[in-house]
């Protein structure tokens, strides 16, 4: 029962039934598009209308409650309006509580950010509803976008320790993802939440590139004033208090210019420019003093490890690559020591392109003395106390050095410039699969016969393949210990990002090992490696495994494939068929199909040439 403005008792349960029936029948937009604005106006200044509106929604049968609540949430002009219209419905009705705190937040994805803010703001505006807000925050913290919009919602009661635990769990979940967008989302949300929790202490800070999505998320931190406030005073008293307060505000505005007179700009400019009469010193003929770089390898080691001269350190790192290549004999004497220094070298100054300079120097050392340096780097990949970034740096250096060793050196006998040596561009994250595809496409192109003359290409001098004798030192140490977890490094566990990079690295090394003596043994070991990881849950890892199959088919001679790997190839063929039909990732299905086509072409060649 409700008490109407006319002083009569009435029941509106029948109206609630009609409202629920209309909304569930698909006419939600038509009826609530008229009803919600009208109730918004009526409840703004009349508490009796508020009670009637609450009873109207509370009396809706549970089977129709979701449609009615969703309509009110979507059409309310703000959290305060939604609070006036629904009251404490989520506390009194379990169905409404489930819809507001679970279904709309986690199970439906078509709602706008404004709807989300209305929901969270509605839960925060009353003391009886705030425990539900805390519960929603703690349980749904992993869903970063939902949690982000609630950062600015006021809440008096807060369990900081539980919030921190939930936040760390959500951050870990996002940072473990191989998708840069998901990782960036976790970073932005973690920064924002930590800044609200630790107002006086240290806060989390990540490095990421801002885009439209991150800017949109950060804009949610700016609090907007509510459109209206729930009235607590009768109309007459409210009007009297408003009229009494108005002159004070206006008076303060009128007096403010006189209280703080502006300082004339001319006076301040004169004081600031009092030194303009001084004659500047002529420095047009001055030349920048350049620090001379060391000329010996051992001097470079001393500068990189102990020198406090920043300019000399910067000159050394810039000149190190060329110095290593010009002095191979001196480099071999200290190659492992120099590789260790470069692996642990950190930037002392804001030198442009430091990471590239360091990587090029590492590649130069590795190509100058391949076997001992490769043994050192591959052993450090599975050692303790290395960051994931350092482990991935090791993989990048191995690939670039293998590429340089596997291609013949050119000496400029060029008829027409335009043809270029194939190259590998190592990109972060999931783009590494594109590098493999580029290499495979080049390999397929090189095996294609064409019967037409085209543009003349660069004529390269013939030279031995330097990667032939060292391929095993690059490949086998990386494939041996992948299943042995360490205290700080678990490839088969949470460090699957590095596992994906490792798999793609092995695929590239396999491609570069074509025509080497160890290629057959490498191919057989790689197929066994793929078979052990074929059911990995991460799509990036599966893409690398599929690339390994294609690399083996393109690099190992067909007669060795038939003699030494028949059983492995039949098992791989069955798995590839399942991937084409069932894998949810489109790139995986395409790569599997490409491998099946390579197998079919191999079968045709063997049939045509049985010898």
């Amino acid at each position: 029962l409700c008490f109407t403005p006319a002083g009569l008792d009435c029941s509106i349960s029948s109206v609630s039934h009609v409202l629920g029936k209309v909304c569930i029948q698909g006419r939600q937009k038509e009826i609530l598009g008229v009803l919600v604005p009208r109730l918004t106006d009526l409840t703004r200044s009349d508490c009796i209308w508020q009670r009637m509106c609450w009873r109207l929604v509370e009396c809706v049968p549970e089977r129709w409650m979701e449609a009615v609540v969703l309509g009110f949430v979507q059409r309310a002009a703000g959290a305060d309006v939604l609070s006036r219209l629904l009251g404490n419905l989520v506390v009194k009705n379990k169905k409404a509580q489930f819809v507001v705190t679970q279904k709309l937040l986690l199970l439906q994805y078509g709602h706008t950010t404004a709807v989300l803010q209305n929901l969270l703001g509605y839960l925060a505006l009353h003391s009886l509803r705030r425990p539900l807000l805390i519960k929603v925050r703690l349980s749904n913290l992993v869903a970063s976008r939902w949690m982000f919009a609630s950062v600015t919602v006021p809440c008096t009661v807060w369990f900081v320790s539980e919030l921190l635990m939930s936040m760390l769990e959500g951050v870990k979940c996002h940072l473990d993802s191989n998708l840069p967008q998901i990782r960036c989302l976790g970073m932005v949300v973690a920064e924002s939440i930590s800044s609200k929790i630790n107002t006086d202490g240290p806060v989390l800070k990540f490095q990421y590139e801002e885009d439209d999505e991150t800017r949109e998320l950060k804009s949610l931190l700016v609090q907007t004033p509510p459109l209206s406030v729930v009235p607590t005073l009768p109309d007459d008293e409210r009007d009297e208090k408003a009229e009494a307060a108005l002159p004070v505000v206006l008076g303060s505005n009128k007096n403010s210019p006189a209280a703080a007179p502006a300082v004339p700009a001319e006076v301040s400019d004169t004081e600031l420019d009092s030194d303009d009469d001084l004659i500047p010193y002529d420095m047009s003929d001055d030349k920048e003093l350049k620090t001379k770089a060391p000329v010996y390898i051992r001097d470079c080691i001393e500068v990189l490890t102990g020198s406090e001269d920043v300019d000399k350190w910067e000159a050394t790192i810039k000149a190190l690559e060329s110095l290593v290549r010009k002095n191979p004999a001196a480099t071999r004497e200290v190659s492992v020591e120099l590789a260790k220094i470069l692996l642990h070298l950190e930037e002392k100054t804001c030198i442009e392109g430091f990471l590239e300079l360091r990587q090029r120097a590492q590649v130069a050392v590795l190509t100058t003395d391949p076997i001992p340096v490769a043994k050192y780097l591959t052993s450090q990949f599975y050692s303790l106390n290395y960051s994931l970034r350092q482990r991935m740096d090791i993989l990048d250096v191995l690939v670039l050095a293998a590429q340089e060793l596997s291609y013949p050196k050119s000496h400029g006998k060029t008829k027409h410039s335009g043809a270029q040596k194939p190259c590998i561009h190592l990109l972060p994250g999931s783009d590494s699969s594109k590098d493999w595809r580029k290499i495979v496409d080049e390999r397929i192109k090189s095996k294609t016969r064409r019967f037409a003359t085209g543009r003349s290409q660069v004529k390269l001098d013939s030279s031995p393949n330097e990667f032939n004798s060292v391929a095993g030192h690059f490949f086998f140490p990386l494939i041996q210990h992948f299943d042995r977890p360490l205290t700080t490094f678990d490839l088969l566990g949470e460090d699957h990002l590095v596992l994906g990079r490792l798999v793609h690295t092995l695929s590239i090394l396999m491609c570069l090992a074509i025509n080497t003596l160890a290629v057959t043994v490498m191919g057989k070991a790689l197929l066994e490696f793929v078979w052990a990881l074929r059911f990995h849950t991460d799509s990036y890892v599966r893409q690398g495994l599929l690339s390994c199959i294609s690399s083996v088919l393109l690099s190992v001679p067909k007669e060795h494939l038939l003699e030494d790997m028949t059983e492995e190839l039949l098992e791989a063929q069955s798995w590839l068929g399942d991937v084409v039909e069932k894998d949810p990732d489109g790139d995986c299905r395409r790569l599997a199909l490409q491998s099946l086509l390579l197998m079919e072409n191999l079968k045709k060649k063997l049939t045509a040439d049985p010898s």
Side-chain angles (χ1 to χ4, degrees):
L1 294 177
C2 288
F3 184 72
T4 65
L8 300 176
D9 292 339
C10 66
S11 175
I12 59 173
S13 60
S14 59
V15 181
S16 301
H17 280 68
V18 173
L19 176 62
K21 188 71 171 179
V22 172
C23 290
I24 202 65
Q25 292 291 335
R27 296 297 181 179
Q28 179 194 74
K29 181 178 180 181
E30 288 80 356
I31 188 170
L32 293 183
V34 177
L35 184 61
V36 170
R38 180 59 178 161
L39 290 176
T40 301
D41 293 336
L42 292 173
T43 57
R44 182 176 290 112
S45 58
D46 197 325
C47 295
I48 296 178
W49 270 107
Q50 287 187 20
R51 290 173 54 196
M52 292 178 62
C53 186
W54 298 346
R55 288 294 296 170
L56 174 67
V57 184
E58 291 170 6
C59 293
V60 173
E62 284 198 0
R63 61 184 182 277
W64 300 330
M65 182 63 72
E66 179 180 347
V68 175
V69 171
L70 178 60
F72 273 84
V73 171
Q74 289 177 330
R75 287 160 182 80
D80 57 318
V81 175
L82 189 62
S83 181
R84 292 203 314 264
L85 297 180
L86 298 184
N88 290 327
L89 177 66
V90 293
V91 179
K92 301 176 182 179
N93 189 289
K94 293 297 183 181
K95 176 70 173 182
Q97 183 181 124
F98 171 76
V99 171
V100 171
T101 62
Q102 296 293 326
K103 195 161 189 178
L104 294 182
L105 292 181
L106 294 179
L107 304 179
Q108 297 180 355
Y109 304 94
H111 304 305
T112 62
T113 304
V115 171
L116 170 64
Q117 290 176 309
N118 284 350
L119 282 174
L120 298 174
Y122 162 73
L123 294 176
L125 285 177
H126 196 280
S127 59
L128 294 178
R129 301 193 294 262
R130 284 178 194 142
L132 294 176
L133 176 63
I134 295 176
K135 181 180 178 181
V136 168
R137 283 178 168 178
L138 293 178
S139 61
N140 300 338
L141 189 58
V142 176
S144 298
R145 177 178 289 276
W146 292 117
M147 185 59 198
F148 201 98
S150 69
V151 172
T152 60
V153 176
C155 187
T156 305
V157 182
W158 194 254
F159 302 119
V160 177
S161 60
E162 294 187 20
L163 178 64
L164 283 174
M165 293 298 296
S166 300
M167 183 190 71
L168 293 175
E169 182 181 352
V171 170
K172 180 180 181 298
C173 178
H174 284 74
L175 296 184
D176 283 346
S177 174
N178 286 331
L179 300 177
Q181 183 180 10
I182 301 299
R183 293 199 300 270
C184 184
L185 181 64
M187 295 176 191
V188 175
V189 177
E191 283 185 356
S192 305
I193 297 177
S194 65
S195 65
K196 298 298 179 182
I197 298 175
N198 300 327
T199 55
D200 300 327
V203 298
L204 293 176
K205 195 66 179 177
F206 298 94
Q207 292 183 352
Y208 54 84
E209 294 184 2
E210 288 197 359
D211 53 15
D212 294 338
E213 185 176 18
T214 57
R215 284 188 286 269
E216 178 188 359
L217 288 174
K218 289 185 176 181
S219 67
L220 299 177
L221 292 173
V222 181
Q223 287 184 314
T224 57
L227 298 177
S228 59
V229 180
V230 179
T232 58
L233 296 173
D235 293 346
D236 296 339
E237 296 182 16
R238 187 177 65 253
D239 294 340
E240 291 176 2
K241 288 186 178 290
E243 291 174 359
L246 185 58
V248 177
V249 177
L250 295 177
S252 63
N253 290 339
K254 291 179 181 178
N255 296 333
S256 58
V263 179
E266 297 177 358
V267 176
S268 58
D269 291 343
T270 302
E271 294 176 355
L272 293 174
D273 299 336
S274 59
D275 296 334
D276 287 350
D277 295 336
L278 297 177
I279 301 175
Y281 185 76
D282 185 12
M283 303 178 64
S284 58
D285 296 333
D286 286 7
K287 296 181 179 179
E288 182 181 357
L289 295 177
K290 295 185 178 180
T291 304
K292 189 175 181 181
V295 294
Y296 298 105
I297 299 294
R298 293 188 181 274
D299 292 341
C300 292
I301 293 177
E302 293 180 3
V303 172
L304 294 178
T305 54
S307 177
E308 298 297 332
D309 189 340
V310 176
D311 293 332
K312 193 170 185 180
W313 184 90
E314 186 173 324
T316 301
I317 194 65
K318 288 181 178 179
L320 184 57
E321 181 198 4
S322 61
L323 194 60
V324 167
R325 296 188 185 278
K326 291 177 182 177
N327 300 273
T331 300
R332 292 188 185 98
E333 295 177 0
V334 292
S335 58
V336 176
E337 181 183 359
L338 186 55
K340 181 179 180 180
I341 293 172
L342 291 172
L343 181 60
H344 295 85
L345 188 65
E346 295 183 357
E347 187 175 6
K348 287 187 177 180
T349 62
C350 295
I351 178 175
E352 184 178 359
F354 167 75
L355 296 178
E356 182 181 358
L357 291 171
R358 184 182 66 176
Q359 185 183 75
R360 288 165 57 182
Q362 288 176 293
V363 173
V365 174
L366 181 52
T367 54
T368 302
D369 198 9
I371 293 179
V373 177
K375 286 182 178 180
Y376 169 75
L377 292 178
T378 53
S379 66
Q380 298 307 298
F381 180 78
Y382 288 107
S383 296
L384 292 170
N385 303 324
Y386 280 95
S387 66
L388 300 184
R389 180 69 265 171
Q390 287 176 306
R391 299 181 198 276
M392 290 190 286
D393 287 343
I394 291 174
L395 297 177
D396 293 346
V397 170
L398 289 172
V399 167
L400 291 172
Q403 175 198 359
E404 183 176 327
L405 292 171
S406 63
Y407 289 117
K409 308 296 186 295
S410 60
H411 299 282
K413 292 186 177 180
T414 309
K415 296 181 179 179
H416 294 283
S417 61
Q420 297 181 353
K421 180 177 67 175
C423 61
I424 299 172
H425 300 287
L426 292 176
L427 303 177
S430 58
D431 290 338
S432 297
S433 57
K434 299 179 182 178
D435 308 324
W436 167 82
R437 287 196 287 271
K438 184 175 181 179
I439 296 175
V440 172
D441 291 342
E442 291 171 352
R443 189 74 69 209
I444 295 175
K445 184 178 179 180
S446 66
K447 290 178 175 290
T448 304
R449 298 179 62 190
R450 291 180 174 82
F451 300 94
T453 58
R455 296 175 56 188
S456 55
Q457 299 183 356
V458 179
K459 183 178 180 180
L460 302 177
D461 287 344
S462 59
S463 60
N465 184 351
E466 298 179 13
F467 191 56
N468 180 23
S469 58
V470 299
H473 298 284
F474 282 65
F475 182 86
F476 291 110
L478 291 178
I479 208 172
Q480 285 179 350
H481 306 302
F482 72 93
D483 56 347
R484 299 181 186 178
L486 302 175
T487 306
T488 59
F489 186 48
D490 186 5
L491 279 177
L492 299 184
E494 58 184 7
D495 297 323
H496 50 83
L497 173 61
V498 184
L499 176 62
R501 292 292 295 271
L502 172 63
V503 173
H504 283 85
T505 298
L506 293 173
S507 172
I508 296 174
L509 292 177
M510 190 71 222
C511 274
L512 297 176
I514 188 173
N515 298 326
T516 62
L517 296 177
V519 66
T520 303
V521 182
M522 290 171 59
K524 188 176 181 64
L526 189 57
L527 288 179
E528 295 175 356
F529 172 80
V530 170
W531 190 252
L533 297 174
R534 66 189 185 281
F535 295 127
H536 201 279
T537 57
D538 190 273
S539 60
Y540 178 55
V541 175
R542 295 199 305 276
Q543 291 173 17
L545 296 174
L546 292 166
S547 72
C548 290
I549 297 291
S550 296
S551 299
V552 171
L553 294 174
L554 291 170
S555 302
V556 179
K558 58 182 181 181
E559 57 274 10
H560 291 174
L561 288 173
L562 183 62
E563 295 175 2
D564 302 330
M565 308 178 198
T566 304
E567 184 178 351
E568 289 84 354
L569 289 178
L570 290 176
E571 293 175 343
Q573 186 177 19
S574 176
W575 171 60
L576 292 173
D578 291 339
V579 172
V580 172
E581 295 179 358
K582 302 176 183 178
D583 198 290
D585 185 76
D587 287 338
C588 289
R589 295 194 300 270
R590 186 181 56 79
L591 291 171
L593 182 59
Q594 182 172 348
S595 296
L596 287 174
L597 292 176
L598 289 174
M599 285 186 175
E600 187 65 25
N601 292 337
L602 177 64
K603 181 179 178 181
K604 291 180 180 178
K605 290 181 180 179
L606 292 175
T607 304
D609 186 13
S611 60

